[in-house]
């Protein structure tokens, strides 16, 4: 089953208008220069840069996404952004359940699931993040934790067209540490099995499962060519167009 790789950048809380626009322009130019890449591209800047980045990406095959949303369409939720607002701005995707949101904002599987349902209803695709902590991995619970997060966070009517899973071991995010390829392979294969049980084999075989956690141009080839790895969610290295594109090149996108 051929799944088109997705190379996704999560800019997190980085970028002011000038450097964020410059980064987006460089990504757009780099992707255009690839000709007909065999991967899809996505950048997820902070809310404040969505408009400017959308403009900077014009004409380039790079989708725009946000890093979170509320589950309500509108209303009394000070400081929050609704899926409809993101759609209205031109977003195609939203990242949900990132471990930083689960940790910093106490987001539960149930909340992530509600947000994903609302995002799908608004016509957004979701990148739903899962992954174990170091303590959980050391206790041999990585697969169990991911299974539980998928069962709780992914809506039951999700399809391969509206949902992408990102496996991001918490201990690998921003640390320079990466699991062995065997460990990545084991979790990705297990995740696909859980998806098959929950959403049916057809959806599971088509659904993209990204790896995230200290992906760099130097490790992209070995990580992103594993059988069940369908791209990457990239934090730090997505803040430099050269590295972001270098990951895509080394992953075999062109
Ligand atoms: C992330 O936060 O989604 C991430 C993978 O970060 P980094 O690439 O910096 O580890």
């Amino acid at each position: 089953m051929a799944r088109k790789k997705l190379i996704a950048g999560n800019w997190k809380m980085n970028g002011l208008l000038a450097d964020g626009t410059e980064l987006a322009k460089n990504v757009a130019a780099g992707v255009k220069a690839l000709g007909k890449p065999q991967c899809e591209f996505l950048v997820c800047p902070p809310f404040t840069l969505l408009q400017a980045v959308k403009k900077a990406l014009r004409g380039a095959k790079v989708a725009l996404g946000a890093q979170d949303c509320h589950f309500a369409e509108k209303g009394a939720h000070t400081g929050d952004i609704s899926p409809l607002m993101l759609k209205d701005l031109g977003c195609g995707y939203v990242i949900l359940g990132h471990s930083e949101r689960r940790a910093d904002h106490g987001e539960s599987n149930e909340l992530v699931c509600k947000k994903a349902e609302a995002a799908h209803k608004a016509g957004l695709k979701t990148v739903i993040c899962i992954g174990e902590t170091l303590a959980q991995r050391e206790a041999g619970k990585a697969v169990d934790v991911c299974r539980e997060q998928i069962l709780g966070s992914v809506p039951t009517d999700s399809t391969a067209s509206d949902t992408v899973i990102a496996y991001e071991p918490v201990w690998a995010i921003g640390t320079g540490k990466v699991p062995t390829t065997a460990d990545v392979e084991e979790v990705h294969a297990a995740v696909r099995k859980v998806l098959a049980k929950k959403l049916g084999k057809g959806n599971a075989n088509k659904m993209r499962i990204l790896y995230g956690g200290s992906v760099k141009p130097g490790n992209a080839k070995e990580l992103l060519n594993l059988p069940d790895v369908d791209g990457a969610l990239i934090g730090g290295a997505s803040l430099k167009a050269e590295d972001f594109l270098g990951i895509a090149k080394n992953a075999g996108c062109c």
Side-chain angles (χ1 to χ4, degrees), residues 8-12 95 98-100 129 166-170 172-178 211-216 232-239 247:
N10 172 13
W11 294 6
K12 309 194 186 190
I95 298 172
H98 191 282
S99 61
E100 286 155 12
C129 302
Y167 167 56
E168 301 202 304
V170 178
I173 294 179
T175 58
K177 293 182 189 149
V178 286
Y211 168 77
S214 296
V215 177
K216 310 270 182 260
L233 183 56
I234 306 154
S238 71
L239 297 174
I247 289 169

Side-chain angles (χ1 to χ4, degrees), residues 72-90:
E73 281 183 12
K74 60 178 181 177
H77 301 286
T78 303
D80 280 314
I81 306 282
S82 83
L84 270 183
M85 291 169 174
L86 297 177
K87 185 74 184 164
D88 193 39
L89 259 183

Side-chain angles (χ1 to χ4, degrees), residues 133-254:
T133 62
L134 186 57
Q136 289 165 335
R137 169 148 294 271
E138 284 174 349
K141 298 217 158 83
V143 166
D144 291 344
V145 168
C146 291
R147 181 183 302 115
E148 202 176 309
Q149 287 177 328
I150 287 183
L151 293 177
S153 308
V154 177
T156 45
D157 57 356
S158 299
T159 68
S161 318
D162 64 24
T163 303
V164 174
I165 304 296
Y167 167 56
E168 301 202 304
V170 178
W171 53 273
I173 294 179
T175 58
K177 293 182 189 149
V178 286
T180 63
T181 50
D183 286 342
V184 173
E185 234 182 301
E186 185 200 6
V187 177
H188 278 240
V191 164
R192 203 171 299 285
K193 267 196 185 161
V194 179
L195 290 171
K197 271 207 169 158
K198 184 172 172 122
L199 307 173
K201 263 195 174 168
N203 272 318
N205 285 339
K206 286 189 225 144
M207 193 168 281
R208 290 179 290 192
I209 307 172
L210 312 185
Y211 168 77
S214 296
V215 177
K216 310 270 182 260
N219 58 22
K221 190 174 175 187
E222 58 170 14
L223 285 169
L224 305 188
N225 284 302
L226 296 169
D228 276 301
V229 177
D230 310 310
L233 183 56
I234 306 154
S238 71
L239 297 174
K240 274 193 186 166
E242 198 189 328
D243 288 349
F244 185 61
L245 293 157
I247 289 169
K249 285 178 193 159
N250 293 347
C253 296
C254 54

